[in-house]
């Protein structure tokens, strides 16, 4: 599994069924990956269902334990994303052949994460620490460190983050309307997400 490049859809809902609706819809769009967070009820089951239905690059988010890494791998997920850097979590993911993207904020944390074997560092929460300018500033001395950005990002800001050097940008609930999800309308969710992606990533990375 390769590192997602472009827009990563972060699915964080209070219902497994809602997560399935969103995941099914988004897997038919130009998103680079669908990240189902472990805060979703039965997240592992959702990942397994999506993978079993032929969804593309699906993985787990909010991964905080080695056990969760193993569950993601067993479900067929291809990557794990964390809000922090935990050496054991990163190493387990790498050992199991998963793409590991731990959370990091400072340059020291980013370099340390890559040193553990991570494929990229997730700059979180990027919107609270300077946004695009922060990414651009960090990329100057660390051009070889792949960065995934997350936290407080609007679709309109995505092109600027990509231009600043981020390899991927995480977007969440801005990709869907709650009423469409509640109705289980996969096609409506897909249409809405596609329109948002036309704004967020017009180049279709």
């Amino acid at each position: 599994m390769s590192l997602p490049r472009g827009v990563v859809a972060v699915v964080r809902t209070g219902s497994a069924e809602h997560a399935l609706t969103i995941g099914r819809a988004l897997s038919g769009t130009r998103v680079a990956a669908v990240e189902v967070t472990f805060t979703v009820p039965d997240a592992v089951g959702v990942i397994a269902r999506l993978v079993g239905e032929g969804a593309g690059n699906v993985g787990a988010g909010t991964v905080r334990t080695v056990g969760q890494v193993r569950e993601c791998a067993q479900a067929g997920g291809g990557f794990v994303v964390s809000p922090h850097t935990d050496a054991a979590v990163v190493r387990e993911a790498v050992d199991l052949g998963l793409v590991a993207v731990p959370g990091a904020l400072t340059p020291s944390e980013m370099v340390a994460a890559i040193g553990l074997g991570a494929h990229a560092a997730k700059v979180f929460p990027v919107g609270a620490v300077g946004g695009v300018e922060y990414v651009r500033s960090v990329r100057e001395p660390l051009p070889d460190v792949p960065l995934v950005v997350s936290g407080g990002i609007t679709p309109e800001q995505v092109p600027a983050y990509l231009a600043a050097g981020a390899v991927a940008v995480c977007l969440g609930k801005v990709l869907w309307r709650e009423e469409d999800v509640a109705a289980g309308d996969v096609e409506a969710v897909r249409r809405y997400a596609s329109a948002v992606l036309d704004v967020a990533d017009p180049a279709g990375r």
Side-chain angles (χ1 to χ4, degrees), residues 39-90:
T39 56
V40 173
D42 191 27
V44 174
V46 172
I47 293 170
R49 285 279 296 278
L50 292 174
V51 171
E53 293 171 5
N57 201 356
V58 181
T62 319
V63 177
R64 299 176 58 190
T65 69
V66 167
Q68 289 174 331
V69 175
R70 293 171 181 163
E71 288 182 300
C72 176
Q74 291 167 357
F79 62 89
V80 294
V81 180
S82 302
H84 67 311
T85 296
D86 181 300
V89 166
V90 173

Side-chain angles (χ1 to χ4, degrees), residues 69-192:
V69 175
R70 293 171 181 163
E71 288 182 300
C72 176
Q74 291 167 357
F79 62 89
V80 294
V81 180
S82 302
H84 67 311
T85 296
D86 181 300
V89 166
V90 173
R91 289 172 181 145
E92 185 70 13
V94 173
D95 287 347
L96 292 176
L98 304 182
V99 170
V101 185
L105 194 58
T106 68
S108 293
E109 292 173 346
M110 296 171 196
V111 172
I114 298 301
L116 291 171
H119 298 79
K122 184 181 83 166
V123 186
F124 170 80
V126 70
V129 295
V132 173
E133 287 305 316
Y134 184 71
V135 173
R136 187 177 291 117
S137 297
V138 168
R139 288 281 297 165
E140 288 182 4
L142 303 176
D144 57 327
V145 176
L147 300 179
V148 174
V149 295
S150 178
I153 300 170
T154 67
E156 292 78 11
Q157 293 172 324
V158 172
Y161 276 106
L162 294 173
V167 297
V169 180
C170 296
L171 291 180
K173 59 185 179 181
V174 296
L175 287 168
W176 60 83
R177 294 181 299 197
E178 293 296 339
E179 58 267 31
D180 295 334
V181 174
D185 193 335
V186 172
E187 288 305 317
V189 175
R190 182 174 294 137
R191 286 194 301 270
Y192 187 83

